[in-house]
Amino acid sequence: MREPQRTPAFSSRPREGVTDRASVTSTRGECLGMRSLRHARRPRIAVVSPPFLSHAQPLSVLAGALARCGADVYFVSAPPFAPLARSADVEFVSLTVTPNANTGIAQRTRQGARETERLEEFLRSTRDGAIAALLTQARHRGEDMLSDPAGVLAGIRTLDARLSPDWYVVDQLSYPVTLALHCLGLRYATFCPGHPTYVPQTADTLFGVPYAWPRAIQPAPGRVAELRRAARANDAAFTERFAEVVRTHAPTVRTPVRAFALASRQAVLFNYPRFEWLPEHPRNGTRFLYGGHCAPAAEPSPGEAWEGLVHRLRETHSRLVLVALGTFLSARDDVLAKLVRGVLLEVPEAAVVVAAGERAAALAHLSAPNVHIADVVPQRWLLGRADAMVHHGGNNSFTECVASGTPALILPFSSDQFSIAHDAERAELAVCLDPSRLGPRMAGSAVRQLLTDLPAGLSRWTREVGRRGPDWMASRLMRAMGGIVEDH
């Protein structure tokens, strides 16, 4: 899915709090200005992405921003993501770092039988609520995230010999890549694609356990304790596997004290706003950079069909609501159907656009002059035209809504979505409901609330993240990694 241009055309909602991108332009000017600084040579950077669209998209945008800062950039990922490198105007290098994959619609992505089986088990578990989904993810973690560390290490060694990058950017959830870079003694910066607690800073912070919960989802203490036990077991198992790889392949390298906490000692970049209540980072010399969002400042049109559709919907309806639950959770067609019915009941003046993934055909009966069902949608482009969005609390959807000034209803199902929903609620950016207890009227009333009263914190945080973004990230990252030479 290409992320096309965001413009105010057809939008009936005054975009209060949305920046005019002047601050972004200023950052881009600063970034481009680096190209005139004196260099021994242009820095060479390899940006390594796992084969998941939700990770590869922001990383490719960052890769493009680093190139605008004067670096020679390689975007390293699985072959289906080569178009993202072309869009970012950087070189593509093929490397697959995990057998698990998602190229845009999880259920359509070609992968092994075991990966497909795990996906189906996970989707079933989301029907049983938050803890059931998180426990299933905990059981799958070793296969999902650390399936072949020795093979990945060999791949990174070959890549480094071929390209000789000055440093790397690696996704925090690509644990075998981080481990390989650690073993090989290569310089790298960490890109955190989700909630900042994905980089645990204290012993109490456990990967896979939300650091806080939204008001609508408050699991029983006993169930949370069960989840914490599973997370601690994973923490110990991953750390031991890391130690085994180090002992075998790099016996002179220090063994990580804690696998999930292994990250760059130079720079950790968060694709997230810097909320004041987030856990503090240790003062250990690492630069912790909060980029706010990773949406490009301009995107091309998705084509005449989408332009025409939105124009038609806007001519006949005063409101436009976007519904998208991400590349995995679009499979929850039961929730999508409730959302469509709820909006039509409670907001009859609204038109609805739904990203339904593999379930688009199953939801075709809901199609109407005011309901458009598609397998994939140009989400960032639509956010410039929508009055509200319903999403799952994924990091990209959350930050894109904040950057575009779009109020949101968040339905968290798994992963870090509960932590993100908590932050969005606390910052007064969104309304959160429990998808396992959702009814059509409840969903429709929440959307009606968003359209009637813009969330109180949205204007402030849209301005805040508008001052940052991918070019801000790239310029700060170049400085943190020693990628530029200052004026003399």
Side-chain angles (χ1 to χ4, degrees):
M1 179 176 69
R2 291 278 301 273
E3 268 31 25
Q5 184 173 0
R6 180 189 294 110
T7 65
F10 308 134
S11 179
S12 64
R13 171 166 55 89
R15 307 311 295 265
E16 179 184 355
V18 177
T19 69
D20 60 4
R21 298 291 185 182
S23 58
V24 173
T25 302
S26 174
T27 302
R28 180 175 289 115
E30 172 189 342
C31 197
L32 291 173
M34 291 182 181
R35 302 176 78 166
S36 65
L37 296 175
R38 292 198 300 155
H39 289 265
R41 64 173 173 80
R42 290 163 62 93
R44 186 176 298 156
I45 305 168
V47 178
V48 185
S49 173
F52 302 100
L53 184 64
S54 58
H55 295 238
Q57 278 186 331
L59 277 167
S60 69
V61 171
L62 177 61
L66 288 166
R68 289 192 294 274
C69 279
D72 291 327
V73 182
Y74 302 94
F75 183 68
V76 183
S77 191
F81 298 98
L84 292 177
R86 290 196 293 270
S87 297
D89 198 23
V90 299
E91 289 195 46
F92 177 75
V93 177
S94 176
L95 180 67
T96 301
V97 297
T98 173
N100 202 12
N102 181 355
T103 58
I105 298 175
Q107 290 180 306
R108 284 189 195 167
T109 301
R110 294 184 63 183
Q111 50 193 341
R114 178 56 184 152
E115 286 74 29
T116 301
E117 180 184 336
R118 290 201 309 273
L119 173 60
E120 294 301 326
E121 183 183 349
F122 161 69
L123 291 171
R124 288 193 300 271
S125 74
T126 64
R127 298 176 182 273
D128 297 323
I131 298 296
L134 291 168
L135 283 170
T136 299
Q137 289 182 301
R139 287 195 301 274
H140 293 172
R141 195 134 284 143
E143 290 180 272
D144 283 344
M145 292 183 164
L146 201 61
S147 59
D148 183 19
V152 173
L153 192 150
I156 294 294
R157 180 186 284 113
T158 300
L159 178 80
D160 193 71
R162 174 184 164 196
L163 303 180
S164 298
D166 295 293
W167 47 279
Y168 293 77
V169 178
V170 59
D171 189 304
Q172 170 66 9
L173 299 191
S174 283
Y175 294 109
V177 179
T178 297
L179 179 57
L181 295 169
H182 177 77
C183 287
L184 296 169
L186 300 173
R187 298 178 69 238
Y188 68 95
T190 294
F191 177 86
C192 183
H195 194 270
T197 51
Y198 269 172
V199 185
Q201 300 298 335
T202 68
D204 289 336
T205 305
L206 294 171
F207 184 85
V209 179
Y211 93 115
W213 299 86
R215 288 189 293 269
I217 302 173
Q218 296 291 320
R223 294 285 279 160
V224 175
E226 180 184 1
L227 177 61
R228 290 186 67 85
R229 287 192 296 272
R232 284 197 187 281
N234 270 335
D235 199 295
F238 264 64
T239 299
E240 177 51 36
R241 289 192 69 189
F242 270 40
E244 180 183 345
V245 172
V246 171
R247 287 192 299 266
T248 302
H249 298 279
T252 62
V253 173
R254 68 176 179 87
T255 301
V257 175
R258 193 175 176 199
F260 289 121
L262 181 63
S264 172
R265 290 186 167 188
Q266 288 185 268
V268 178
L269 183 60
F270 298 103
N271 184 27
Y272 207 74
R274 182 63 175 104
F275 296 123
E276 52 267 27
W277 56 83
L278 291 172
E280 289 296 321
H281 299 291
R283 299 189 178 186
N284 57 6
T286 304
R287 293 288 303 277
F288 294 99
L289 304 169
Y290 284 80
H293 71 95
C294 214
E299 299 168 11
S301 166
E304 293 182 4
W306 277 105
E307 294 273 8
L309 171 71
V310 172
H311 183 75
R312 176 178 62 79
L313 293 176
R314 276 296 184 189
E315 280 189 323
T316 54
H317 298 83
S318 62
R319 299 291 193 174
L320 180 61
V321 178
L322 172 62
V323 177
L325 300 181
T327 54
F328 285 96
L329 292 162
S330 60
R332 288 296 306 272
D333 57 346
D334 57 322
V335 176
L336 292 175
K338 290 176 185 177
L339 289 167
V340 171
R341 295 192 190 102
V343 173
L344 296 184
L345 282 169
E346 299 296 328
V347 196
E349 71 274 21
V352 187
V353 175
V354 183
E358 184 71 7
R359 305 303 296 163
L363 294 173
H365 65 283
L366 294 174
S367 295
N370 56 347
V371 179
H372 181 75
I373 309 289
D375 52 356
V376 294
V377 303
Q379 180 168 305
R380 290 175 181 163
W381 182 83
L382 284 170
L383 281 175
R385 292 145 175 83
D387 296 287
M389 181 179 180
V390 183
H391 64 80
H392 58 308
N395 188 70
N396 290 335
S397 295
F398 167 61
T399 56
E400 289 165 14
C401 280
V402 178
S404 63
T406 306
L409 167 61
I410 300 179
L411 307 175
F413 291 81
S414 63
S415 308
D416 60 340
Q417 295 159 21
F418 306 102
S419 295
I420 290 172
H422 164 271
D423 289 346
E425 195 173 62
R426 184 166 177 176
E428 297 183 279
L429 296 168
V431 173
C432 175
L433 295 176
D434 184 348
S436 65
R437 300 178 181 178
L438 190 70
R441 288 199 176 275
M442 182 191 306
S445 296
V447 172
R448 164 64 70 188
Q449 177 187 337
L450 290 169
L451 296 173
T452 303
D453 298 305
L454 198 69
L458 192 56
S459 297
R460 173 202 167 183
W461 284 105
T462 298
R463 287 193 299 270
E464 290 285 339
V465 303
R467 298 187 183 103
R468 302 201 174 193
D471 289 291
W472 182 96
M473 294 187 203
S475 64
R476 269 53 178 191
L477 194 55
M478 292 277 280
R479 294 179 188 277
M481 298 299 293
I484 64 170
V485 178
E486 301 288 353
D487 286 316
H488 292 283

